[in-house]
Every structure is written in C-alpha cells, then in structure tokens.
Amino acid sequence: MKRRIRIITNDFAVEAELLPERPKTCSGIWDALPLEAEVEIWKEEVYFEIPVKIPPENPTPNTTAGDVAYWPEGPGFCIFFGKSQPLSPVNTFARIGKGVEKFRRVRSGDWVRVEASKE
C-alpha cells in the first residue's frame, strides 16, 4: 500500500503520494507528521521550516509543478507549483496528483498542516 500525505492550507487540501526513490526522506518526514507552520513563498514554491534533519538523498536541482521536496539546507518542506527551481538541490519525496494550481492562492504568512492521509 502506498503512503500518502495530506497538505491542508487556507480553504483547500491536496494529497501527495510518497515516492520510492528516496526512502530515508520519506521515512523521516512520515515519522515527524503532523507538521504545522507558517509558510513563505519563493517564486513558484511554498516552503516552510520543519524540525527534521535528513541528509541529502539523491538530491536534484530540478523540479516540476506538483513535486514535494525536502530541502536539506533549510531544513525545509517545499511544494513546487510552477516552473521555478529550488535554490539548491532537494530530496523530492512526494508528488501531488491533483490541485497543485491551488497553491497560487497561498501567501507568505498563511498556515499549512501536513498529516498522514487517511484515504
């Protein structure tokens, strides 16, 4: 059974499926759930600091809209909703299937909650 996370902010929620390519990152994030924080916006990315330390795990400098990644230098939780790329390589560990465009409505200072999906 595939693990999924639910990302909730403002007036919407989306689901993201954890990817098998970065198992240590997936486990580190999963074990820290739920996470809540005030977000920042950088270009077409929502990010926030998290109390999780995970080393780089097959990090990539490239992302696409819908990618959910861990930024080792933050440490941060990143949601990419457009064409912008990370400041430095990230551990992409999940993928949003539907609704990523809704993150365009999120503003710096908004709150987000990430939890294990019950579906």
Side-chain angles (χ1 to χ4, degrees):
M1 187 169 119
K2 296 185 177 186
R3 292 188 295 181
R4 300 175 65 81
I5 55 174
R6 184 171 172 86
I7 304 167
I8 306 156
T9 187
N10 295 346
D11 60 345
F12 69 90
V14 298
E15 300 272 325
E17 184 174 305
L18 300 187
L19 304 172
E21 294 85 9
R22 293 178 180 87
K24 292 177 184 173
T25 304
C26 288
S27 291
I29 298 294
W30 187 263
D31 292 346
L33 297 177
L35 298 166
E36 289 191 39
E38 185 176 315
V39 304
E40 295 292 333
I41 303 295
W42 187 73
K43 296 186 179 183
E44 294 174 308
E45 172 189 346
V46 171
Y47 75 95
F48 52 94
E49 288 188 23
I50 58 174
V52 178
K53 296 283 188 186
I54 303 167
E57 182 181 24
N58 191 22
T60 181
N62 302 310
T63 60
T64 60
D67 283 352
V68 180
Y70 172 78
W71 182 41
E73 290 183 29
F77 189 105
C78 311
I79 303 161
F80 295 90
F81 60 86
K83 295 180 182 179
S84 66
Q85 297 300 307
L87 184 62
S88 58
V90 294
N91 299 351
T92 300
F93 70 90
R95 180 97 180 125
I96 297 169
K98 293 187 296 186
V100 70
E101 71 283 350
K102 295 176 183 178
F103 284 96
R104 293 192 179 283
R105 302 192 313 244
V106 176
R107 299 291 176 252
S108 289
D110 289 350
W111 279 86
V112 67
R113 177 178 171 86
V114 181
E115 59 189 34
S117 176
K118 296 177 176 83
E119 295 179 13

